[in-house]
Amino acid sequence: MENLRITTSDLVIRSASGNPGDTIVTAKNQAEDVFYVEANNITITGLSINGAGTDRAGVYLIRSGNCTIENNEFLNDALGIYLKNSNYNLILNNTAVEGKRAINIERSNYNRASDNTVSNQRFGIYLLVSEGNMLSDNKVSMSADHGIVLESCSDTSLENNTASSNEDYGIHLVGSSNNNLTGNTVDSNMVSGIYLKDSSGNSLTKNTALNSSRGIFLLSSDESMLSGNVVSNNERGIQIASAGNNNVSENSVSDNIISGISLLSSSNCNLSENILSNNAIGIDLAFSSNSTVLNNSIQNGGRGLNLQDSNYNMLLNNTALYNRYGAYLLRSGWNVLSNNNASEGNDHGIVLENSSNYNDLISNTARSNRAYGIYLKGSSNNNLNGNEASGNNRGVFLTTSNGNTLSNNTVLDNGDYAILLSYSSENNISENEASKSNRGIHLSTSGDNKISGNTIVSNDVSGIYMASTSNNNTVFNNYLNNNFNADIKPRSVGNVWNTTKTAGINIAGGPYIGGNLWAKPDGTGFSQTATDADGDGIADGVYKISTSGYTDYLPLVVVSETEQPITPVNLTDDQTDTSVDENDTSVDDSETSADENDTSVDDSETSIDDNDSSVDENDSSVDDSETSVDDSETSIDDNDSSVDENDSSVDDSETSVDDSETSIDEYEASIDESETSTN
């Protein structure tokens, strides 16, 4: 039993056998360090070192350089190896069990700690106010707090370390910048695998984060790069909160319970080329803005792309297949969704709900979804241009949504409706193809809409339908070629079926725009047989629309022959399909069967349930379960004493590292409480 003080340089202290079990050095005075080293070129190897008491170390290097601490065992030392103001040292292949910090590097630069095995400490490896150090191939487990900590450190490399089964975080950076984390594995840490707080400009590449509350979490940490990481089986895979200008790319994110990649109150981030699968929410933006979501693949989850209270974002070229919803916007506006594929979903392809206004949906594909291709509920002034919504139950469905523009969309082969408006007004529906469905364009209690320049052909039940409560709509310059072109219920008022004769190429190729072209698949439609003596492309007579009481005063005639579709059913404009009720019950009252009185995609907003049997009921909120960043994420230990009696900064600073955790939990709790109130 002894305490050794070394102040002479160029010494080697080792066991004869090189086996630590053969030579045990125990502190004679536990209030002193077992080895105190203040010299250069010292080697300590092959020893078992134990018994250093509170805030004392098995090996303490102070103002020492080029020393090697190798192949030793540390047992029951408060601090295993402690470097202070010491540079260019090696800490290699040591084992440390039962202590406070196995390796503590403070104000020390350009040291390397590799191949060490650490367990049952408070903190496994802790670096404070240091730069240029390398930690590689270390194994840190079962720490009472964190596995590896960098506090106020820079230009440090963490490579191929394993941090597992720690009570809080596997790897934690606080106030640390320009560090490189590569190839590390963090598994089964209670709170977060990798957690960066107030740490910017870091690079996280090719790490694996598994089985934690959060796989990788950045809080108030900007300008970092996350690339090539594998993040699976966490509650939240990758989460960035209150941060900006981060780049998240080429990560594989799967099987996370709440979300795959999420931004919370963050801006100017880039999420690109990630592969996500089997996450409740694939990519989730909440209270976030001015970010770009580009070229991601999101499959087999609840919501592929999810925006809540998020504005001015760009969602481009993403593929969201086999999810419950491909893309879902809630209270989100001024976003651009372009060239995304939201198909093969269990419910809807693209949803805009609850005041999701002023969005641009351009050239998206929403195909073969079980319910609706594109669905707007309570959302206005959006622009839908050049989208394809085919093979769904309903192609494009607007309910309680006003002032939207639908143009140049291809809406084909949908089961019930191509384009359906319910309780929606002042929408502009122009130059779309609404064909090969049961009903082409269908207005249910919707008024003051403009329907022009659309191709509406080969629909089985009707081309255009208007309920008795659909008033003041203007319909002109449409190409209608169905056996039953217009089903207009009695008692509606103010609907107009032509515009003023105006020079311009009409939908049939004639020189004037006026009314609509009325064709039939067998070639006997009014516009196919009417005369046009003056050659202006307008029929010489008017066209009375069945028994509706409405008249197209400027019906078009066929000028350039358009391909005639195959006759779908044997109906005429003077016959009423038995499924369409003269008392206006079939189309609008059938709303109740499809939507249970259109209770909304998400009125109850409770939980995402992929087994939900209804189309729209009981959908989850963006994250009702987000009832805090983590209630368990509280203060680590406010009573931690200092590492050194003469240097209280090591552990006193830990209070700032961990006590502030409570603030993010309270912040997220307030966000979620407000979300509950809105729903």
Side-chain angles (χ1 to χ4, degrees), residues 186-204:
V186 287
D187 187 3
S188 302
N189 299 285
M190 187 66 69
V191 180
S192 295
I194 299 174
Y195 176 29
L196 277 61
K197 181 176 184 294
D198 299 318
S199 298
S200 298
N202 297 287
S203 174
L204 283 68

Side-chain angles (χ1 to χ4, degrees), residues 115-281:
D115 296 297
N116 301 285
T117 301
V118 175
S119 62
N120 297 102
Q121 308 284 321
R122 182 185 174 189
F123 302 102
I125 300 174
Y126 202 110
L127 276 64
L128 174 66
V129 195
S130 300
E131 66 178 38
N133 295 288
M134 162 72 82
L135 306 179
S136 65
D137 298 292
N138 301 289
K139 295 179 174 61
V140 183
S141 62
M142 295 183 286
S143 301
D145 284 343
H146 316 323
I148 299 172
V149 179
L150 273 62
E151 181 180 358
S152 302
C153 294
S154 62
D155 300 305
T156 301
S157 292
L158 275 66
E159 298 183 5
N160 302 316
N161 300 286
T162 299
S164 60
S165 302
N166 299 286
E167 284 297 314
D168 285 338
Y169 318 133
I171 298 173
H172 183 30
L173 276 63
V174 58
S176 296
S177 60
N178 301 313
N179 301 287
N180 180 36
L181 282 64
T182 301
N184 302 286
T185 299
V186 287
D187 187 3
S188 302
N189 299 285
M190 187 66 69
V191 180
S192 295
I194 299 174
Y195 176 29
L196 277 61
K197 181 176 184 294
D198 299 318
S199 298
S200 298
N202 297 287
S203 174
L204 283 68
T205 59
K206 298 182 179 179
N207 302 286
T208 300
L210 310 171
N211 302 309
S212 298
S213 176
R214 289 183 188 80
I216 299 175
F217 181 33
L218 276 63
L219 173 63
S220 302
S221 298
D222 303 328
E223 298 179 347
S224 292
M225 180 181 72
L226 284 67
S227 179
N229 302 288
V230 176
V231 186
S232 298
N233 294 301
N234 305 282
E235 290 184 12
R236 296 172 179 83
I238 297 172
Q239 185 175 41
I240 298 173
S242 302
N245 297 295
N246 292 290
N247 188 350
V248 182
S249 64
E250 298 181 356
N251 301 284
S252 177
V253 184
S254 63
D255 299 293
N256 297 287
I257 296 171
I258 296 174
S259 60
I261 300 173
S262 62
L263 302 181
L264 173 63
S265 299
S266 296
S267 62
N268 298 300
C269 293
N270 179 45
L271 313 179
S272 63
E273 305 286 349
N274 299 287
I275 298 175
L276 302 100
S277 62
N278 295 303
N279 303 287
I281 298 176

Side-chain angles (χ1 to χ4, degrees), residues 36 43 61 119 150 159 182 335 382 465 488 546 591 665 669 674:
Y36 175 95
T43 297
L61 271 61
S119 62
L150 273 62
E159 298 183 5
T182 301
N335 300 286
N382 297 286
Y465 174 94
I488 314 303
S546 188
E591 289 296 306
D665 292 332
S674 65

Side-chain angles (χ1 to χ4, degrees), residues 454-565:
N454 302 285
T455 299
I456 309 167
V457 302
S458 298
N459 294 290
D460 293 339
V461 176
S462 61
I464 294 178
Y465 174 94
M466 286 189 188
S468 60
T469 49
S470 294
N471 304 317
N472 301 312
N473 299 287
T474 302
V475 183
F476 66 96
N477 199 39
N478 299 286
Y479 189 103
L480 291 140
N481 192 342
N482 311 273
N483 271 316
F484 195 32
N485 281 319
D487 183 12
I488 314 303
K489 294 304 178 184
R491 301 186 303 276
S492 66
V493 295
N495 296 300
V496 177
W497 290 85
N498 56 265
T499 188
T500 303
K501 184 178 178 181
T502 305
I505 303 301
N506 65 43
I507 198 165
Y512 288 94
I513 296 171
N516 303 279
L517 187 137
W518 303 90
K520 284 185 179 294
D522 62 2
T524 64
F526 177 87
S527 296
Q528 295 160 312
T529 59
T531 60
D532 177 18
D534 58 4
D536 63 354
I538 306 293
D540 295 333
V542 300
Y543 177 65
K544 293 186 179 297
I545 303 170
S546 188
T547 59
S548 66
Y550 288 105
T551 299
D552 182 346
Y553 292 99
L554 297 170
L556 307 178
V557 298
V558 175
V559 175
S560 59
E561 191 67 26
T562 303
E563 180 182 351
Q564 300 297 314

Side-chain angles (χ1 to χ4, degrees), residues 428-447:
N428 184 1
I429 302 172
S430 63
E431 300 181 17
N432 304 284
E433 184 172 5
S435 301
K436 298 181 181 179
S437 304
N438 274 340
R439 297 169 175 87
I441 296 178
H442 186 97
L443 274 60
S444 167
T445 316
S446 296

Side-chain angles (χ1 to χ4, degrees), residues 252-503:
S252 177
V253 184
S254 63
D255 299 293
N256 297 287
I257 296 171
I258 296 174
S259 60
I261 300 173
S262 62
L263 302 181
L264 173 63
S265 299
S266 296
S267 62
N268 298 300
C269 293
N270 179 45
L271 313 179
S272 63
E273 305 286 349
N274 299 287
I275 298 175
L276 302 100
S277 62
N278 295 303
N279 303 287
I281 298 176
I283 295 178
D284 183 22
L285 276 62
F287 304 93
S288 296
S289 62
N290 295 300
S291 293
T292 299
V293 181
L294 173 68
N295 289 334
N296 299 283
S297 173
I298 311 149
Q299 298 191 11
N300 298 305
R303 300 183 184 182
L305 299 161
N306 190 74
L307 273 64
Q308 175 194 330
D309 299 289
S310 295
N311 304 322
Y312 302 105
N313 299 287
M314 303 277 287
L315 281 64
L316 311 174
N317 302 321
N318 300 287
T319 300
L321 303 178
Y322 314 114
N323 302 285
R324 181 175 179 186
Y325 304 104
Y328 198 111
L329 277 64
L330 178 68
R331 296 187 301 273
S332 297
W334 294 276
N335 300 286
V336 175
L337 282 70
S338 179
N339 290 302
N340 302 288
N341 188 349
S343 298
E344 305 281 351
N346 285 330
D347 279 330
H348 314 321
I350 299 173
V351 179
L352 277 62
E353 189 191 0
N354 196 355
S355 299
S356 290
N357 305 326
Y358 298 101
N359 298 287
D360 287 319
L361 277 63
I362 302 170
S363 300
N364 301 286
T365 299
R367 186 187 298 129
S368 301
N369 296 285
R370 184 176 67 87
Y372 315 149
I374 300 174
Y375 181 31
L376 276 62
K377 179 179 184 297
S379 297
S380 300
N381 299 302
N382 297 286
N383 175 37
L384 282 65
N385 180 264
N387 303 285
E388 180 192 349
S390 298
N392 309 284
N393 179 265
R394 301 178 182 181
V396 179
F397 180 21
L398 277 61
T399 181
T400 60
S401 297
N402 307 318
N404 299 286
T405 297
L406 282 65
S407 60
N408 295 297
N409 300 290
T410 300
V411 190
L412 303 175
D413 297 305
N414 295 284
D416 285 342
Y417 309 95
I419 298 174
L420 168 63
L421 275 63
S422 175
Y423 297 96
S424 298
S425 63
E426 298 181 349
N427 299 285
N428 184 1
I429 302 172
S430 63
E431 300 181 17
N432 304 284
E433 184 172 5
S435 301
K436 298 181 181 179
S437 304
N438 274 340
R439 297 169 175 87
I441 296 178
H442 186 97
L443 274 60
S444 167
T445 316
S446 296
D448 298 292
N449 299 287
K450 184 171 78 170
I451 301 171
S452 65
N454 302 285
T455 299
I456 309 167
V457 302
S458 298
N459 294 290
D460 293 339
V461 176
S462 61
I464 294 178
Y465 174 94
M466 286 189 188
S468 60
T469 49
S470 294
N471 304 317
N472 301 312
N473 299 287
T474 302
V475 183
F476 66 96
N477 199 39
N478 299 286
Y479 189 103
L480 291 140
N481 192 342
N482 311 273
N483 271 316
F484 195 32
N485 281 319
D487 183 12
I488 314 303
K489 294 304 178 184
R491 301 186 303 276
S492 66
V493 295
N495 296 300
V496 177
W497 290 85
N498 56 265
T499 188
T500 303
K501 184 178 178 181
T502 305

